Amino acid sequence: MMAKERWDACDREGNPLGYTVVRGEPVPEGVWHRVAEVLSITTEGRVLITKRHPDKPWGGFWEYTGGSVLAGEEPQAGAARELREETGISLPEAALHPLYVDARPGIDGLNTIYCCFAAFFDPAEQTIRLQEGETVDFRLLPYDQFKEFLFTEEFTDPIRRRFLDHQEVFDRLMEAHLKK
């Protein structure tokens, strides 16, 4: 039997409260948990999106990489782990660049603190391998096409809303990356 996933219980600012909560069990009122998200970008400026497994919430929809930060883990470490698990892309934590932190209700209705990072990778050096039970397909889209695809009914709505709320950050990041 697989161990249940545990998260650090946090306050709204992401400070651990000194105890953990278990995925799927009731979470006390006022407790927040952290989720790490990663916008993965190739050296040529294409954005990696993955299709969620049909058995997951928002199954069959497209997203960029993300998942819960585990108990005892910092968001940057969680982002690197999720990236490695869901896509096979292995980068050191230091290669993930913080973009924003956003506290709001999550996909599952829990109080969630989204810690978003950017990761740049060379597709010639990294093989994309999808995680069974998590992702079923991937695409590498030029940034403009990615932004267009966000508005299709195929893209996960809560992730689209967060992206749009912080689009200026993403646009500046991509402008700087593509100038290199």
Side-chain angles (χ1 to χ4, degrees), residues 71-133:
E73 193 174 53
E74 289 301 317
Q76 199 164 7
R81 177 185 47 76
E82 287 289 342
L83 184 63
R84 186 176 56 257
E85 288 175 358
E86 291 187 8
T87 69
I89 296 170
S90 186
L91 296 173
E93 288 176 34
L96 278 73
H97 309 282
L99 295 177
Y100 68 82
V101 176
D102 187 350
R104 61 173 72 186
I107 286 177
D108 49 14
L110 295 175
N111 290 331
T112 305
I113 302 164
Y114 292 94
C115 306
C116 188
F117 298 86
F120 297 96
F121 72 99
D122 184 344
E125 295 175 7
Q126 299 276 349
T127 302
I128 297 171
R129 289 182 307 278
L130 301 174
Q131 183 182 14
E132 191 173 327

Side-chain angles (χ1 to χ4, degrees), residues 14-48:
N15 302 305
L17 298 172
Y19 62 96
T20 60
V21 293
V22 177
R23 177 188 287 276
E25 293 184 6
V27 175
E29 191 172 330
V31 168
W32 293 73
H33 94 286
R34 297 176 295 184
V35 166
E37 294 183 314
V38 185
L39 189 70
S40 305
I41 305 153
T42 67
T43 47
E44 305 88 34
R46 292 180 294 155
V47 177
L48 172 66

Side-chain angles (χ1 to χ4, degrees), residues 4 10 19 75 79 103 111-112 125 143-144 162 180:
K4 291 191 175 189
C10 295
Y19 62 96
N111 290 331
T112 305
E125 295 175 7
Y143 187 59
D144 288 344
R162 283 193 303 281
K180 290 181 180 180

Side-chain angles (χ1 to χ4, degrees), residues 152-168:
T152 69
E153 293 194 8
E154 296 178 70
F155 204 86
T156 309
D157 184 58
I159 296 173
R160 172 181 31 249
R161 287 194 310 261
R162 283 193 303 281
F163 178 88
L164 293 173
D165 287 348
H166 300 280
Q167 184 173 342
E168 223 174 81

